[in-house]
Amino acid sequence: MDAQCENAIEVAWNPSSDQALKQQAFDFLDRFRQDPSAWQTCLRLFTRDPRASDVVRHTALEIFNNALQTGQLSKQEGIQAKEPFMSYIHTVYTPTSTEDDTDSRAIQNKLAQTFTVLFITFYASEWQSFFTDLWEPAKRELEANHEEGPATDFYLRILSSVHDEIADQLINTSNEKQKHFTDLKDIVRARDAEKIALSWREILSRWESLDNDVVELCLKTMGRWVSWSEISLVANQETLEHLYRIATRQEAATTRFVDHSMRDASIEVFTEIVGKKMRPLEKIELIRFVNVDAVLGELIASPSLSEARGTPDYDTELAEAVAKLVNTVVLDVVRVLDNQVGQAQDPSNIHASQLLTSLTPKLLRFLSDEFDEVCSTVIPSLTEELTLFRKLGTPTGSLQQSYSDLLAPMLNAIVAKMRYDDTSSWGEEEEETDEAEFQELRKRLKIDQQIIATINEQLYMDTLGDLVQSTLDRINAGESGMNWRDLDLALVEMYLFGELAVRNSGLYQKKVPTTAASQRISSHPHPAIQLSYIEICVRYHSFFEQNPQYTPKVLEDLVRFVHSSHVKVKTRSWHDFLRFVRMIRSQLSTIAENIVSAISDLLVIRAEVTESSSSDDLSSSQKDSTEDTVFQSQLFLFEAVGSISSLTTVPVETQVKLARTILNPLMASIDDSKTAAVAGEERASLQIHHVIEATGTFARGFSDWVPGRPGIPVSDEVSVEFQKAAETILDILGRLKSSLLVRTAARFAFTRLIGVLGYKVLQQLPSWIDGLLVESSSKDEVVTFLRLLIQVIFGFKMQIYDVCDTLLGPLLHKVFACFSEPLNGTDDNIQLGEVRREYLNFLSSLLNNGLASVLVSSKNQGNFENVIVSIEHFAKDLKELSDGRLAVSVLNKMCDVWGGRSISPDAEATEPLLPGFDQFMITRFSPLTWSIMTDRQLSPKELQANRTIGELATLQQTVLAKTGSQYARYLRETELSNLGLQQGAINEYIHAMATMDMKTFRNFVQRFLQQGR
């Protein structure tokens, strides 16, 4: 069997094996795994001499581990199995072992996993000497003074593997396993933790100057075990001396650490020690005992972080490791202070306050680091510290002096870090990732700035005001060669002033920028400055409302920027142009024509087909410059000119002229592309798509008024121009309605044209509907169409009765076809759910807007039963309770609309508005409510189920309100008695339905159902 198994493994994992033979090998191994004696074969394959290949030995260990974990070995067999493994360790991992004698790293790791499985299974009782037995070979190795440490290395690997299995917080385990692992940790702490800690000290003493790899592994193991071990086992004088010596070993600034991995690992152990969860007083005592402040001071003063700072020899790995330690200890100190707010005289509070004051300069050292990765490491602790200061200063309105003195250096460090690094390049393609990361860093720093503003507003205003003002003064003085980064920082901080600056009379009240300064800023050649200038103009639009004399200059600058040769500046400016003219549009009536004329050259649409197959390979900057992305930004300009042209202070004849100026070239472009698009040319279809969307966007800028809502409709003269454009769109839609691209654009435009067409759209509505809903329409299109129709119904109500009456049949046919289509995956299921919801919303819209009779008209009577069946089906679907409630609400609304006037519960029913609907409610809707409420899958204790039960209870009360005593008799004599209820319970239920308000009855029904369960 051994040879057969070995051969099967070799064949299965040999890439050159015949596929049929390889499959046979896999089949054999699958059967072999189930063999109760397979573990014995695997044990022999692993431990035999001469050795099998690594792939055979690795697979043998894997099968053995699985057999042990799945209980294929009895306890006695497991205990017996450990002996060959221990014999193997004593033979292979010896002081005299050569590199050829020991196992490869992969085998060592797999063997460590095997010992970990043995530990989990037998350590508690059957193998109590687990750690002692494994330490023995390593101990002999130490005593032999050998220069290699394979046994020590393997011992540490097992310790690491044990931690990863029983203490790693990132691994999810079952509650049963978690309890077992917790028990194991308790046993380890009581039985072996002290001996293990002693072994670490012995390893460090022996190998510190001999084997960096062993020392690093030992330190990493210590760092892992600290979180769940007794802290005194690591935080003792002897161990700390080792850690301190390794962490602070000095070398020349021009020399990299030879053993930097050891150094980083020791710093990580310090981090784990001070980060261990403890009570506040104990935590402060631990931090003081470890003397972290001194350790940090030594590390910061090391040549690699001091002398080498600003040079290529600067050790960023060390900087990050120390920054992480700073972040951890400051966070812990802040938590102690936060938990003891109001206990200023508490000893731990006093010590914590002293530590925080001492540690903050070290935090700011790393916040100011030139490398953003290092800076980002300490931002969490900075934010928490500032949040604490805000909390401490709120009750009294002032902060204690020692803390208050820290705010200025904090703010200065934050502001300095907001500046672009001198080595950075803005806008370079290869720098885009760095740029995105820097902007994210700025967002985080902005939060800290704002916290400082809430603590000491005057300090914030003075610091940033001086920065901005000094920069403006330099510009006024005509300083040549000014670094764009300095100006960018000033503009960014000016932007961040926000409402705080306005509330305090702001920068502009302090000193309005001179014409020279404004001119130099707006004409600065660097794109970042141009974008910041635009953003500030938009942000401070209220300034231009109060100082309209500056508006023409800004508009002139914006017109220049929207024509920029830099793609990013140009496209961003198009959006900001729209935002700005919206804000100050009341000032534009006299220059509307001039503005439109100034940017009219940018309103020419030139669609370009891009190769989708290669688009995935484009960088983000390349994608930004693709024609499609540019077009999406171009739409902002169409909306802007629409907003400018529609000012009520602009004469109607001028509005008409401007509308023609924009619309006529667009419609001409459709005519020019029509023939090619019909012939199937892709670029022509895309051109038509873009033009239609541009028309819709222009219309949205012109008016967002919707019939049925307050607002001022556009004049008839202007509406006629848009009506002509709509006719052109409808013509091309009729020709190309098989094109999804054109249908999508037409839907986009239609929703926006309603505002400018008003009631004129009713004349074209049948044509719109005929073009937008076709046989090939997808579920997404059906969903969008239903939403569009709901919007139209709300706006026009009874005025579109005839259209809805004609449309309903084909629409229901398409919707029901969607419901009957087979589902192919999650996406289909999601889309079907959207169709279901919008279908129910559409029915509600008909019922709520006076169009209920459409459902039972002579044209649609034949579909009524299918509609009711579909609603009942969705109501009973307990997998989609929210949709079920929506379905029940539709039935409830039907009762309201067609059930006639409400009567008292003991009165005889009157004739309903829809003949026979009274019996329909009783015999169809009421049984439906009981079939759902009595379904065992619907638990009254669950929130969503409770809401569904409440909706069903409301439907029952509505039926009673419409049919009175007729429904009460039906419940008493037929429905409730058929459910097996006693007469007393029946009378109680009917009485509650008749006398309770809606909310009380809902609660009653929930209790009633729970009692019945």
Side-chain angles (χ1 to χ4, degrees), residues 39 84 109 250 306 316 319 327 372 396 802 828:
W39 66 271
N109 291 335
Q250 298 290 315
S306 56
T316 54
N327 186 69
D372 292 347
T396 61
D802 291 338
D828 270 4

Side-chain angles (χ1 to χ4, degrees), residues 286-418:
L286 172 67
I287 293 174
R288 296 176 69 203
F289 177 75
V290 174
N291 202 8
V292 177
D293 200 18
V295 173
L296 288 171
E298 187 79 18
L299 289 169
I300 292 171
S302 66
S304 295
L305 293 186
S306 56
E307 297 173 18
R309 193 174 183 184
T311 72
D313 295 314
Y314 184 65
D315 196 332
T316 54
E317 291 183 0
L318 175 60
E320 275 198 75
V322 179
K324 184 179 177 182
L325 177 56
V326 171
N327 186 69
T328 300
V329 69
V330 171
L331 279 174
D332 280 334
V333 172
V334 168
R335 289 190 188 107
V336 170
L337 291 168
D338 190 39
N339 291 332
Q340 301 188 142
V341 171
Q343 304 177 40
Q345 301 308 312
D346 185 280
S348 63
N349 213 339
I350 295 172
H351 293 317
S353 180
Q354 293 171 346
L355 276 171
L356 188 61
T357 304
S358 175
L359 288 168
T360 299
K362 297 176 177 63
L363 184 154
L364 297 181
R365 151 66 180 86
F366 292 103
L367 182 73
S368 306
D369 197 278
E370 62 182 292
F371 291 93
D372 292 347
E373 297 85 352
V374 177
C375 169
S376 298
T377 302
V378 297
I379 289 180
S381 57
L382 174 66
T383 304
E384 290 301 314
E385 184 176 352
L386 288 171
T387 302
L388 172 68
F389 290 172
R390 180 172 58 187
K391 184 176 181 179
L392 294 173
T394 300
T396 61
S398 62
L399 195 63
Q400 71 180 56
Q401 193 60 44
S402 61
Y403 293 160
S404 185
D405 291 343
L406 297 174
L407 293 177
M410 282 178 167
L411 182 57
N412 289 332
I414 291 169
V415 171
K417 196 59 191 176
M418 295 277 279

Side-chain angles (χ1 to χ4, degrees), residues 246-295:
I246 296 170
T248 59
R249 186 177 299 170
Q250 298 290 315
E251 298 199 18
T254 56
T255 305
R256 305 293 288 180
F257 273 100
V258 176
D259 55 350
H260 64 272
S261 58
M262 280 175 48
R263 174 208 64 199
D264 293 346
S266 65
I267 296 172
E268 180 65 27
V269 176
F270 272 117
T271 303
E272 291 294 333
I273 291 173
V274 299
K276 186 174 175 64
K277 289 181 172 57
M278 302 172 69
R279 288 191 293 270
L281 180 59
E282 293 173 347
K283 173 53 67 77
I284 295 303
E285 289 177 350
L286 172 67
I287 293 174
R288 296 176 69 203
F289 177 75
V290 174
N291 202 8
V292 177
D293 200 18
V295 173

Side-chain angles (χ1 to χ4, degrees), residues 55 63 70 129 180 333 360 378 423 435 440 458 516 622 709 756 818 839 853 866 879 939 1006:
V55 69
I63 295 174
T70 56
S129 59
H180 179 53
V333 172
T360 299
V378 297
T423 60
E435 169 70 15
E440 183 61 31
Q458 193 59 51
Q622 288 172 319
R709 291 181 179 173
V756 290
C818 290
Y839 164 67
S853 55
N866 291 333
K879 294 180 181 179
S939 172
Q1006 290 162 6

